[in-house]
Amino acid sequence: MPELLADCLYEIFKYLRNDDKDDRKSLNTCIFVSRLWCKNAIPLFWACPWNDGGTFVYKPTIIKTILSCLSNESRQTLLSNDIATSYLTSHRQPLFNYISYCQILASWIIDGMIHVILSNDQNQDQNRLNDLALGYRANILEHELYKLYMSKASSISRLLDLPDFPMMYMPGARLCLSYLSDLDCSTEDSARYFFCLAEFCRKIQRLRVYPCEEDNQGLATLITLQHRLIHLDLGTDNGEMVEKLIHIGDALTSQAQSLTYIKVYNNLYFSTEHLSSFTFLKVLKIYVTSEIPRKFWLCNMVLPHLEVLDVFRDEFTPFRFYKCLIDHSSSKFRRIYWNRLLATPPDNKEIQDFIRIISRSSNFLNFVTIWYSDDIIEDFAQLLSICTNLIGIKICAKDLIDDNNNDNIMINAENILKVIVDKAPKNFSILNFDGNWSFSFHDIESFFENWKYRILSKSGLRPLSLFISDDCEFSWGLSVNDLINKYVDENVLKCFRIAEFLDLEDKEFISVIDF
């Protein structure tokens, strides 16, 4: 029975180890309830003791507890160099091997501890400690802290960067890092560093490379030797085209049977031929600021398991190339999302063809981006009718040009608002208008009233999150704020924003839309 209670407590406490500040505080409080609660809460709290609701805070009490885990030899090394004396003079044997529970490590975590410890030392004796001594003592402290983690942290699962310090040569590093499953690194890191890690790190499942600008053979070797790489995130702040990473691309194809998530930022980094080999891919997120070489490969690419396609930016690839990719791939898409594209659907036939293609995923589709003109309103209404699991939609006004003055023609939103309120499935709750839309006060008020009626009716609807781009034209007058506030108070609107686009990576929005 006690074992069952302990297992139950542990499972409950696991829900408190997230980035919510109140949950982290509650988890810390659980430690002081009883021995049983303490025993089950301590491992979860110490997995990342710095996490204070999504921010990292270097609390002196945590630092003191970590230093209490040092070996006698390390303690004497620090004390003999006047390092952390105020933390080490009143030494007590720790109740737990706290370091053994730590699962996250980064050079900036170590640097944060060093800064707090040495700043405290500096305050204790400002006259005796000069800048040269500070650098010397920082080096000693860094060595002892890495030695502590490598020797006593039994399973570091997440490494948030590769430090300059050669920690993998320290006693215990092979065992400590052999359980690494989550790695953040850069192609600027030494190839030799990656070669060393490749000797014993074979369980990496999530890899984030930022910046990713060089074809690092050491990184390519590390990738090749992984048993099951699942999640890949490549990015750079360099907006210029990066030369294709041949070695890294070839290494990634060795993980084609396991890779299910790929996100690229600013460049594709590998060839479209490489991309076509990832046939088990479920999530593909693309943000490119330069032209994709040999982009015609997209037309013939088949990704049969693809469920999420997010095109955050691509101003070069024709719409039909992505349409062909969707057509040839899965019929179980959950999300198809575009931010603005330079190459939008050229005509209504292209839009109707796109609607026909995505209709095959009607039983699974949660969110989709659609281009619209009043000529395809029946196709749009049919799509809403059959997509019973649809939670949200982004509707882009098709570009229409006035032949007389070459100005954009605004599309009156009256017709589409009527269709949405009439056909929206019961779980529908996110609506985004993008482009040249025109909204009258009467039309939007009527829409909100009808939405309220459906919320109150047996068929039911959820409160709506409404996002409208700043290209839209409003004739709402000064009473717009009163109108919005009224329907927020009546729980018809969950939120209303003027937004350039929906950012699926926005933490404020991710809980609503990132299914």
Side-chain angles (χ1 to χ4, degrees):
M1 192 67 179
E3 290 80 6
L4 178 60
L5 178 58
D7 291 342
C8 291
L9 283 173
Y10 186 80
E11 291 300 317
I12 293 170
F13 293 162
K14 278 166 62 173
Y15 287 98
L16 300 176
R17 62 174 179 176
N18 53 41
D19 285 344
D20 183 84
K21 192 176 184 73
D22 290 336
D23 284 353
R24 292 290 301 181
K25 185 177 180 180
S26 298
L27 181 61
N28 188 32
T29 303
C30 291
I31 293 172
F32 303 99
V33 173
S34 69
R35 288 191 177 188
L36 181 61
W37 282 47
C38 178
K39 184 179 178 181
N40 285 276
I42 281 287
L44 295 171
F45 180 84
W46 275 87
C48 185
W50 314 110
N51 188 349
D52 188 40
T55 58
F56 277 65
V57 178
Y58 300 97
K59 296 179 179 179
T61 53
I62 299 294
I63 293 175
K64 186 170 185 177
T65 303
I66 288 175
L67 295 179
S68 73
C69 297
L70 288 167
S71 66
N72 289 332
E73 179 187 358
S74 294
R75 289 182 70 254
Q76 289 304 317
T77 298
L78 296 182
L79 288 171
S80 63
N81 287 280
D82 293 323
I83 301 172
T85 52
S86 63
Y87 290 99
L88 295 173
T89 47
S90 57
H91 174 62
R92 289 195 305 173
Q93 194 68 22
L95 297 175
F96 297 89
N97 183 5
Y98 296 98
I99 302 299
S100 68
Y101 303 127
C102 292
Q103 296 181 9
I104 297 176
L105 185 61
S107 62
W108 47 268
I109 291 177
I110 298 294
D111 291 344
M113 284 194 282
I114 292 172
H115 175 75
V116 172
I117 293 169
L118 295 187
S119 294
N120 183 67
D121 288 350
Q122 194 83 355
N123 292 333
Q124 296 289 326
D125 195 344
Q126 294 182 358
N127 297 324
R128 199 158 51 85
L129 303 175
N130 55 45
D131 289 340
L132 178 63
L134 200 63
Y136 169 72
R137 289 158 60 250
N139 185 67
I140 293 175
L141 184 54
E142 180 184 39
H143 180 274
E144 295 302 332
L145 286 173
Y146 275 116
K147 186 166 72 171
L148 172 64
Y149 273 92
M150 292 301 101
S151 62
K152 292 191 176 183
S154 56
S155 57
I156 295 291
S157 62
R158 188 177 183 191
L159 199 56
L160 300 179
D161 64 6
L162 290 183
D164 295 332
F165 193 87
M167 62 180 183
M168 64 280 191
Y169 296 118
M170 289 189 150
R174 278 181 173 268
L175 177 61
C176 174
L177 299 176
S178 63
Y179 294 95
L180 193 65
S181 61
D182 194 331
L183 173 63
D184 287 24
C185 61
S186 160
T187 53
E188 296 173 355
D189 292 321
S190 166
R192 186 177 179 183
Y193 209 131
F194 288 118
F195 286 136
C196 291
L197 284 177
E199 292 181 30
F200 47 85
C201 292
R202 304 293 176 86
K203 298 177 181 178
I204 297 174
Q205 295 186 353
R206 178 196 170 277
L207 178 64
R208 181 177 185 267
V209 186
Y210 200 100
C212 182
E213 298 178 1
E214 302 170 18
D215 201 11
N216 190 311
Q217 292 196 35
L219 177 57
T221 300
L222 180 66
I223 291 171
T224 301
L225 292 174
Q226 298 312 303
H227 296 324
R228 191 168 178 264
L229 184 63
I230 296 173
H231 182 119
L232 177 68
D233 191 341
L234 306 177
T236 177
D237 290 329
N238 182 3
E240 298 179 4
M241 183 175 173
V242 173
E243 184 178 345
K244 289 294 168 280
L245 310 180
I246 304 300
H247 293 295
I248 291 177
D250 289 343
L252 289 171
T253 59
S254 71
Q255 301 293 326
Q257 299 295 308
S258 60
L259 267 172
T260 61
Y261 178 108
I262 292 180
K263 178 183 176 183
V264 293
Y265 181 78
N266 264 339
N267 280 274
L268 187 58
Y269 304 102
F270 42 77
S271 69
T272 47
E273 291 93 325
H274 285 133
L275 181 60
S276 65
S277 69
F278 304 132
T279 53
F280 287 88
L281 203 61
K282 292 184 178 180
V283 177
L284 178 60
K285 297 171 179 270
I286 296 175
Y287 184 112
V288 289
T289 53
S290 57
E291 188 169 4
I292 299 175
R294 296 169 65 84
K295 56 181 177 285
F296 60 83
W297 268 73
L298 291 170
C299 291
N300 301 313
M301 196 176 296
V302 179
L303 301 175
H305 299 282
L306 196 62
E307 297 177 2
V308 173
L309 175 63
D310 289 339
V311 185
F312 297 110
R313 182 176 180 181
D314 184 353
E315 298 181 357
F316 303 95
T317 306
F319 173 81
R320 70 178 187 278
F321 285 18
Y322 282 113
K323 188 191 73 173
C324 289
L325 170 63
I326 295 168
D327 190 16
H328 296 155
S329 297
S330 168
S331 60
K332 295 183 179 180
F333 276 98
R334 293 186 293 113
R335 184 172 74 225
I336 300 172
Y337 177 82
W338 269 281
N339 280 341
R340 298 182 184 180
L341 298 180
L342 187 65
T344 57
D347 51 43
N348 291 331
K349 184 179 182 303
E350 191 89 3
I351 299 173
Q352 289 170 321
D353 197 31
F354 177 62
I355 290 176
R356 176 189 59 80
I357 291 168
I358 62 176
S359 294
R360 298 202 303 260
S361 298
S362 59
N363 291 331
F364 305 93
L365 207 57
N366 296 142
F367 191 97
V368 67
T369 301
I370 293 289
W371 284 262
Y372 176 86
S373 73
D374 283 335
D375 294 332
I376 61 108
I377 192 165
E378 292 184 5
D379 303 89
F380 177 76
Q382 177 66 17
L383 180 69
L384 284 184
S385 298
I386 64 175
C387 294
T388 55
N389 293 308
L390 197 66
I391 295 174
I393 192 166
K394 176 178 179 178
I395 310 171
C396 304
K398 184 179 179 299
D399 292 334
L400 300 173
I401 305 298
D402 190 329
D403 294 334
N404 296 323
N405 53 25
N406 287 327
D407 289 340
N408 287 320
I409 298 175
M410 308 301 290
I411 298 180
N412 192 312
E414 178 184 5
N415 292 334
I416 197 167
L417 288 172
K418 290 178 180 178
V419 171
I420 292 170
V421 80
D422 182 48
K423 300 293 185 180
K426 65 179 181 179
N427 290 324
F428 191 91
S429 59
I430 302 165
L431 179 57
N432 176 209
F433 283 100
D434 184 79
N436 301 312
W437 291 97
S438 174
F439 298 89
S440 72
F441 184 91
H442 174 269
D443 291 336
I444 204 73
E445 183 180 37
S446 177
F447 174 72
F448 289 156
E449 278 297 318
N450 289 326
W451 197 268
K452 180 171 72 171
Y453 176 78
R454 279 203 60 185
I455 288 176
L456 298 174
S457 68
K458 290 184 179 180
S459 60
L461 275 178
R462 296 180 179 183
L464 185 67
S465 296
L466 179 60
F467 303 89
I468 299 178
S469 74
D470 54 9
D471 287 336
C472 295
E473 189 176 85
F474 308 96
S475 54
W476 296 8
L478 297 177
S479 56
V480 59
N481 289 332
D482 292 337
L483 183 73
I484 297 301
N485 291 334
K486 172 188 174 184
Y487 288 104
V488 168
D489 292 342
E490 293 180 1
N491 207 29
V492 175
L493 272 179
K494 181 176 181 180
C495 69
F496 172 84
R497 275 198 239 163
I498 304 295
E500 180 75 15
F501 54 81
L502 300 187
D503 185 356
L504 303 189
E505 305 301 309
D506 184 353
K507 287 184 178 180
E508 186 178 344
F509 196 62
I510 198 166
S511 62
V512 182
I513 196 171
D514 203 6
F515 313 106

